[in-house]
Amino acid sequence: MSAWLVWRRGRAGLVDWTRLGWAGWAAATVSSAATVCFIAAFKNTAVANVAIVYATAPFVAAAIAWVWMRETPGLTTLVAAGSCLAGVTVMVGGSVGSPDLSGDLLALGMTALMALMMVIIRRHPDRPMTLAVGPVSCLQLVATVWAMGAQLDVSVHELVLLAGFGIVHAAATVLLAEGLLRIRAAEAALLGALEMPLAPLWSWLILSEILRMSTVAGGVVVLATLAWYLARGLTARISA
């Protein structure tokens, strides 16, 4: 993240802390809380569940943006978001009474926080948000985890895996922060939900996770909705 900031803005990209303001610090803190919920959710439910629950982000982002920014979403976005919400409701309903429910609820919390972060970034494009959700958020997480103890209790193999996760997460965060400056918050959330069909595939190939019928049913609804929404958007752009 630091390399990206230096490449884009030179040294000012790393030292421009004074321009963060309350919006920058709020985005960083919300991002940190979302990351905590994100990791914890994976420990308590299936990877596919987390990915599908995250697909509700368009609904939450659109609602927050409408209340706060008066950014009225189009009818297509509302229909797509509502359909995604219905699919997730089916999936979470299947977790009631199982250990996965706590993980699903953590995923819902993460989704709400991510949606709020998206709207904050969209609302304040003049702030150095890549710095906020990048290095600043990372430092907040380091301070939090360091206080919990066992800071260096990892093997070399685990350290390599953690570094790999960090690089991938950093790249995703940078792309999200930059992309949010160019499109609506609800649209960004819908595009981000494209990870939904990929996450179950990777979890099946690597972790041998077997999906419940409620997860499959909810996932099919969400995936079909995303395909419909993106197809309509592509057709509209081609026509224009």
Side-chain angles (χ1 to χ4, degrees):
M1 292 183 184
S2 298
W4 170 265
L5 288 170
V6 171
W7 179 70
R8 283 295 304 271
R9 301 195 60 225
R11 293 182 179 179
L14 293 180
V15 301
D16 202 10
W17 295 71
T18 58
R19 292 185 56 248
L20 284 173
W22 74 266
W25 285 103
T29 304
V30 170
S31 175
S32 299
T35 301
V36 171
C37 291
F38 181 65
I39 301 300
F42 281 125
K43 297 289 187 180
N44 292 277
T45 191
V47 172
N49 287 32
V50 178
I52 295 172
V53 169
Y54 181 65
T56 62
F59 181 81
V60 182
I64 297 174
W66 177 72
V67 172
W68 188 7
M69 301 172 58
R70 298 302 176 188
E71 189 177 89
T72 304
L75 178 60
T76 301
T77 300
L78 287 175
V79 171
S83 181
C84 285
L85 182 62
V88 171
T89 300
V90 171
M91 189 209 69
V92 175
S95 297
V96 175
S98 73
D100 286 350
L101 182 59
S102 61
D104 289 351
L105 294 177
L106 282 167
L108 283 170
M110 176 271 294
T111 300
L113 290 167
M114 285 295 293
L116 177 59
M117 183 197 73
M118 291 175 185
V119 176
I120 293 174
I121 293 175
R122 180 70 177 171
R123 179 68 176 82
H124 298 275
D126 57 319
R127 301 296 180 182
M129 288 301 184
T130 305
L131 173 65
V133 301
V136 175
S137 177
C138 287
L139 289 175
Q140 288 180 338
L141 289 168
V142 168
T144 301
V145 177
W146 194 271
M148 296 180 180
Q151 301 90 348
L152 302 177
D153 188 18
V154 293
S155 65
V156 175
H157 175 68
E158 291 172 329
L159 188 60
V160 171
L161 293 176
L162 290 171
F165 172 79
I167 292 172
V168 173
H169 182 68
T173 302
V174 167
L175 291 173
L176 176 62
E178 293 292 328
L180 280 169
L181 300 177
R182 294 164 174 80
I183 59 177
R184 290 172 177 264
E187 292 175 342
L190 276 168
L191 290 172
L194 281 174
E195 71 179 82
M196 194 279 294
L198 297 176
L201 175 63
W202 285 116
S203 64
W204 174 64
L205 290 174
I206 299 175
L207 304 176
S208 299
E209 285 189 351
I210 304 301
L211 304 182
R212 293 195 307 267
M213 285 305 300
S214 59
T215 300
V216 173
V220 167
V221 172
V222 173
L223 182 58
T225 300
L226 291 173
W228 169 76
Y229 177 83
L230 293 175
R232 283 181 62 89
L234 180 61
T235 301
R237 287 182 176 85
I238 292 175
S239 301

